[in-house]
Amino acid sequence: MGTGASKNPDSSSHGSEERDQAGGQLYVSLRMENYKLNGDIIPHVYGSVPLVGSWDSSKALSMEREYTFMWVLSFVVPPNHETLDFKFLLKPKYSSSPCIVEEGPNRQLTAGTLHGDGWSAMFKLSSDEVFEYRVLINVDRVSPFDLAASWRAYQENLQPSTVRGIPDISINSAAEAGPENGTSASLELDIEHYVVPAPATAAHSALAYAANMTETPRTLSRFGGMEVIVPELTTSSSASGMVESNSVGAFSSMLKQEGHRGLFVDRGVGSPRLVKSASAASFTADLKLYSEAKNSMPAAAGAVAAAAVADQMLGPKEDRHLAIVLVGLPARGKTFTAAKLTRYLRWLGHETKHFNVGKYRRLKHGVNQTADFFRSDNPEGLEARNEVAALAMEDMISWMQEGGQVGIFDATNSTRNRRSMLMKMAEGKCKIIFLETICNDRQIIERNIRLKVQQSPDYAEVPDFEAGYHDFKHRLENYEKVYEPVEEGSYIKMIDMVSGHGGQIQVDNISGYLPGRIVFFLVNTHLTPRPILLTRHGESRDNVRGRIGGDSVLSDTGELYAKKLANFVEKRLKNERAASIWTSTLQRTIITASPIVGFPKIQWRALEEINAGVCDGMTYEEIKKNMPEEYESRKKEKLRYRYPRGESYLDVIQRLEPVIIELERQRAPVVVVSHQAVLRALYAYFADRPLKEIPHIEIPLHTIIEIQMGVSGVQEKRYKLMD
Ligand SMILES: Nc1ncnc2c1ncn2[C@@H]1O[C@H](COP(=O)(O)OP(=O)(O)O)[C@@H](O)[C@H]1O
Ligand SMILES: O=P(O)(O)OC[C@H]1O[C@@](CO)(OP(=O)(O)O)[C@@H](O)[C@@H]1O
């Protein structure tokens, strides 16, 4: 039986031929799921080649825990690899009891095609006790670029740059490692000992259901019968460009925060200065336009700000507001995609909100709706669903009229009728782009359904997982009966984008700066689980002297961190067949990364520290004394403050956008060794922190922030290597 890349056994020989011709590497990802077992048993893989321990169970590769119930492992083999026989085995975490090997014949990977039972693995504990794991196996072809973009570039340009004598891209092989490189046994690390708690504001979306974090109905009173009343926001613009609420009302504790957020809309104090026009008359007209525009200008620099100014001054009024309306069957990743897009657009500086109709439905009709509620021939259900969709759309449009730029409208919207209702509501008020997520991969849909039943509040009160699972399947069938793919208006279709089999994006009738950016972002995102390790360089001599900027080397403490970091990376990535190390072009990051061996290293100018302009090399005390006005301005507005002849945090965010896109695109782990301001900005993206917090986020020296990307989003873990 075939599975993964060889889902269709008839096409397997053809598939492997294609793979050989296309080159690249085969990326094998294995997943095991068991909802009942705890974490005291660790699944492993062992097999016929040294990569998987040559049938020696003590050398079996340990799988990594993705969630409580899911274990994963990936490795890479060349397309013309020798046949690989393997099996799963279970090892107890705390005892030395023997491991248990799965029942049945070996699994076999031949020319990228898998043979063996692709769906489950059975483990016999005793004559009457059997564990069953669900197994998901995928084999994807990935280009060498995906594995190590840098390495390919290096080979193409055999003359590396000689900037400061250090090549832009380099790799030091493991053979060079020695005590002087810090890999000596004396620096051995047990990485779990270095774990420290992440802050309360850490990246944790994998633990929280994304729909819960979306907008709450502003007028819950419309839902009658509900005990929570949120005041209608009668708004008036104040001179400072803020929106204030004049009304009062009772807030539930859950809603307080949302309500509060509605009171203050950051209108972008840092809007770019416009050049005065030649004539006084046109200057006045420009100013009027500008002051109108200023009220809905994103807090951003560079391209984002330029595009916003152009749209405000020249574009049609409804184009100033964009509604991304999700379309798709349940469990196709709509909420996931909506949340991710919201995070990205907010980080870039676009005022963006995510409206989830499911949340409105749950608040109005409760969480216990069975599949029957979603039948298309249930008129009450249909009316109730349309009603909550209309309420959410109304809220979204009202928010846009108060200055919101991008609304993300998250529901199935899977019939023409529903979409036409939304288009009518949006007429003259905002531009709609449909974003349809289509998935034809049975294994992925199956996994998604299980995840949804685990996470969705709809099933929180259903104790029996199987009962929830069947109800959700039934709900899905009800939607399938009436589903009409989008063919109208402007649309983006994401088709099989996460299966790893080279899905596609189809776009129709899309133009403009922001829609273009959105398409580009979506093309580059995927769900392959991998860690991203963020760290500042080791303490530099300038850090010791309290001088900002500069390009100094490391202090002795910094040097020790570099060695510990190399040791840590070696341990943490020991099961990874590919990874890359990214640094800035400044010495302190390059030196910090230099003891790391075996992975390609890439220098990015974009990862350089915030440019302190005329203040470069000064201490904060010196700036305060010699340039008190600059010091005060920065203190007041650290996000937008631009050092004379240098940069602001908003500038840094703009130049980091290609880094974020590349981090999203990479399938292998990445270690980013960079600087305080840069890491604040990168971290804020993953942890979904608001722009205004970025300059104040703590990024301590000698600490690794591990961001785990995966099928449920982003999770964070921290390691502090030195006291
Ligand atoms: N483009 C996609 N296609 C298929 N599955 C996806 C996609 N994007 C994300 N997923 C996966 O789908 C799971 C369920 O997604 P969710 O957003 O709750 O579905 P929906 O909102 O469509 O019901 C997510 O946890 C994620 O692992
Ligand atoms: O924005 P603030 O808080 O000043 O932090 C950024 C500063 O951090 C520093 C250290 O003070 O980074 P780095 O450790 O990379 O040298 C300065 O170079 C940089 O100007």
Side-chain angles (χ1 to χ4, degrees):
M1 201 202 305
T3 181
S6 57
K7 270 185 308 202
N8 173 359
D10 300 336
S11 64
S12 56
S13 58
H14 173 64
S16 56
E17 212 170 88
E18 252 177 21
R19 264 179 222 116
D20 285 351
Q21 283 161 11
Q25 302 273 334
L26 297 177
Y27 188 88
V28 183
S29 53
L30 311 174
R31 244 166 236 176
M32 290 182 78
E33 295 173 6
N34 183 309
Y35 295 87
K36 293 182 189 128
L37 293 181
N38 63 26
D40 294 346
I41 296 177
I42 303 176
H44 284 64
V45 176
Y46 80 150
S48 58
V49 298
L51 174 73
V52 284
S54 305
W55 290 126
D56 174 351
S57 61
S58 68
K59 293 188 187 146
L61 290 185
S62 164
M63 299 185 77
E64 296 236 340
R65 198 166 186 176
E66 172 87 359
Y67 316 98
T68 352
F69 62 91
M70 188 190 290
W71 299 81
V72 294
L73 174 73
S74 325
F75 53 84
V76 174
V77 292
N80 56 350
H81 67 97
E82 63 183 279
T83 297
L84 167 63
D85 278 76
F86 68 97
K87 281 194 141 185
F88 293 104
L89 70 161
L90 302 180
K91 288 190 180 184
K93 193 169 175 185
Y94 299 113
S95 82
S96 55
S97 340
C99 47
I100 309 161
V101 180
E102 73 167 305
E103 299 292 304
N106 294 344
R107 295 167 187 272
Q108 210 173 50
L109 181 70
T110 317
T113 300
L114 273 154
H115 306 274
D117 179 2
W119 290 97
S120 68
M122 307 284 283
F123 298 88
K124 217 176 193 168
L125 261 85
S126 60
S127 53
D128 56 353
E129 214 183 341
V130 175
F131 280 168
E132 182 176 2
Y133 279 76
R134 236 178 81 74
V135 168
L136 297 169
I137 305 180
N138 264 311
V139 183
D140 304 324
R141 198 186 65 244
V142 287
S143 70
F145 190 83
D146 278 334
L147 291 172
S150 58
W151 188 231
R152 190 179 71 171
Y154 175 61
Q155 295 191 322
E156 279 168 3
N157 309 290
L158 278 169
Q159 290 292 317
S161 124
T162 50
V163 184
R164 275 200 306 275
I166 305 164
D168 287 346
I169 298 153
S170 61
I171 182 165
N172 28 352
S173 69
E176 287 169 25
E180 72 283 6
N181 290 338
T183 51
S184 70
S186 64
L187 287 167
E188 272 292 297
L189 294 174
D190 172 0
I191 62 176
E192 289 304 313
H193 284 153
Y194 292 85
V195 174
V196 288
T201 52
H204 60 258
S205 68
L207 304 174
Y209 184 54
N212 294 345
M213 330 284 264
T214 57
E215 296 311 308
T216 301
R218 33 175 79 194
T219 49
L220 282 180
S221 52
R222 275 185 296 189
F223 286 1
M226 299 201 62
E227 50 186 27
V228 186
I229 301 158
V230 170
E232 191 86 55
L233 285 183
T234 38
T235 55
S236 64
S237 286
S238 71
S240 66
M242 283 183 173
V243 173
E244 288 161 5
S245 167
N246 295 330
S247 38
V248 286
F251 286 70
S252 82
S253 60
M254 179 183 98
L255 290 166
K256 256 181 194 152
Q257 211 189 343
E258 288 301 325
H260 178 76
R261 259 202 252 153
L263 305 183
F264 300 101
V265 178
D266 181 348
R267 304 288 185 167
V269 184
S271 310
R273 278 172 221 142
L274 296 187
V275 178
K276 286 183 189 174
S277 330
S279 79
S282 69
F283 175 52
T284 319
D286 279 358
L287 268 186
K288 190 165 169 287
L289 262 177
Y290 173 50
S291 67
E292 278 167 13
K294 215 175 84 156
N295 277 350
S296 47
M297 201 70 78
V304 170
V309 171
D311 285 353
Q312 295 289 1
M313 307 279 279
L314 306 169
K317 206 167 164 224
E318 66 267 28
D319 279 7
R320 292 175 199 170
H321 307 290
L322 180 60
I324 301 288
V325 174
L326 273 294
V327 176
L329 290 166
R332 280 359 189 228
K334 295 181 301 298
T335 299
F336 183 97
T337 307
K340 190 159 187 169
L341 193 56
T342 304
R343 177 157 64 91
Y344 168 72
L345 293 173
R346 279 186 182 155
W347 180 79
L348 272 180
H350 300 286
E351 194 78 43
T352 306
K353 278 192 176 181
H354 179 180
F355 294 80
N356 175 272
V357 176
K359 182 167 179 179
Y360 277 64
R361 166 179 56 78
R362 281 186 282 275
L363 283 167
K364 177 146 168 94
H365 299 288
V367 291
N368 295 323
Q369 301 305 327
T370 65
D372 277 350
F373 182 76
F374 301 93
R375 270 186 8 233
S376 60
D377 58 355
N378 168 357
E380 290 87 38
L382 196 62
E383 197 191 320
R385 282 157 51 212
N386 279 336
E387 187 198 2
V388 280
L391 284 173
M393 188 69 175
E394 236 175 64
D395 278 1
M396 187 168 97
I397 292 172
S398 307
W399 166 75
M400 283 177 174
Q401 285 169 342
E402 290 158 9
Q405 198 188 357
V406 189
I408 304 201
F409 187 81
D410 174 15
T412 53
N413 303 317
S414 55
T415 61
R416 267 182 174 270
N417 264 347
R418 164 69 74 82
R419 296 192 292 268
S420 122
M421 171 186 101
L422 299 175
M423 284 205 272
K424 280 202 196 94
M425 292 179 77
E427 241 164 38
K429 295 177 180 141
C430 65
K431 182 181 162 55
I432 285 194
I433 293 180
F434 294 114
L435 171 55
E436 185 173 13
T437 56
I438 298 174
C439 178
N440 299 305
D441 187 318
R442 219 160 50 86
Q443 286 193 13
I444 291 181
I445 298 172
E446 190 61 27
R447 180 196 68 198
N448 291 353
I449 293 174
R450 287 175 177 275
L451 275 172
K452 286 216 72 131
V453 177
Q454 288 261 319
Q455 295 181 337
S456 169
D458 284 349
Y459 296 102
E461 291 171 17
V462 181
D464 177 10
F465 177 83
E466 289 304 317
Y469 173 84
H470 289 298
D471 182 77
F472 192 79
K473 284 269 233 198
H474 191 183
R475 183 198 294 191
L476 229 165
E477 282 158 20
N478 287 336
Y479 274 101
E480 271 163 350
K481 283 183 199 147
V482 289
Y483 176 45
E484 294 167 300
V486 179
E487 279 159 3
E488 67 271 34
S490 302
Y491 65 77
I492 304 169
K493 280 178 195 263
M494 298 173 73
I495 307 172
D496 291 329
M497 281 298 287
V498 297
S499 68
H501 301 299
Q504 51 168 309
I505 292 235
Q506 284 176 6
V507 295
D508 197 50
N509 200 9
I510 298 287
S511 61
Y513 172 81
L514 200 48
R517 285 236 82 88
I518 290 171
V519 172
F520 186 58
F521 176 72
L522 295 174
V523 168
N524 285 293
T525 57
H526 58 84
L527 294 181
T528 306
R530 76 276 183 201
I532 294 171
L533 307 180
L534 305 175
T535 176
R536 285 174 73 183
H537 52 77
E539 181 189 68
S540 70
R541 296 208 182 149
D542 275 347
N543 288 153
V544 177
R545 293 184 281 241
R547 302 203 171 281
I548 64 169
D551 189 13
S552 71
V553 296
L554 302 186
S555 69
D556 290 347
T557 315
E559 292 277 357
L560 181 62
Y561 177 69
K563 290 173 183 170
K564 289 202 169 206
L565 177 67
N567 214 322
F568 175 90
V569 169
E570 187 190 329
K571 279 255 164 89
R572 176 63 188 85
L573 303 184
K574 71 174 186 298
N575 291 333
E576 306 288 348
R577 294 296 170 267
S580 50
I581 318 294
W582 299 0
T583 68
S584 73
T585 59
L586 297 170
Q587 291 196 76
R588 51 194 188 277
T589 62
I590 295 168
I591 296 172
T592 303
S594 64
I596 301 173
V597 292
F599 298 112
K601 291 184 192 139
I602 303 145
Q603 290 177 23
W604 289 71
R605 263 199 74 117
L607 287 176
E608 275 184 19
E609 182 53 309
I610 187 170
N611 180 346
V614 298
C615 298
D616 189 71
M618 295 169 81
T619 64
Y620 293 117
E621 271 311 301
E622 285 167 350
I623 300 173
K624 193 173 178 182
K625 192 162 152 237
N626 301 321
M627 301 184 207
E629 280 172 17
E630 294 297 330
Y631 184 86
E632 284 308 317
S633 307
R634 187 162 201 258
K635 204 164 133 197
K636 232 188 275 159
E637 282 257 59
K638 204 170 169 192
L639 176 70
R640 295 168 171 82
Y641 171 84
R642 183 179 276 156
Y643 281 110
R645 300 208 212 129
E647 288 179 303
S648 67
Y649 269 87
L650 287 178
D651 294 328
V652 172
I653 291 166
Q654 287 302 302
R655 73 160 139 96
L656 284 174
E657 204 239 351
V659 176
I660 288 294
I661 296 285
E662 194 53 40
L663 284 172
E664 285 287 353
R665 206 178 70 83
Q666 293 278 323
R667 287 178 192 266
V670 179
V671 181
V672 182
V673 185
S674 184
H675 305 266
Q676 177 154 256
V678 164
L679 292 171
R680 280 175 174 152
L682 291 180
Y683 175 79
Y685 169 77
F686 292 110
D688 200 10
R689 305 310 311 147
L691 284 185
K692 62 179 187 316
E693 280 182 17
I694 290 181
H696 311 284
I697 295 175
E698 253 202 83
I699 307 283
L701 278 170
H702 307 155
T703 303
I704 295 152
I705 302 176
E706 177 174 322
I707 302 290
Q708 182 64 42
M709 309 279 279
V711 291
S712 292
V714 176
Q715 246 179 311
E716 174 183 340
K717 194 169 177 183
R718 290 191 177 207
Y719 306 88
K720 189 164 184 257
L721 297 195
M722 291 167 50
D723 292 325

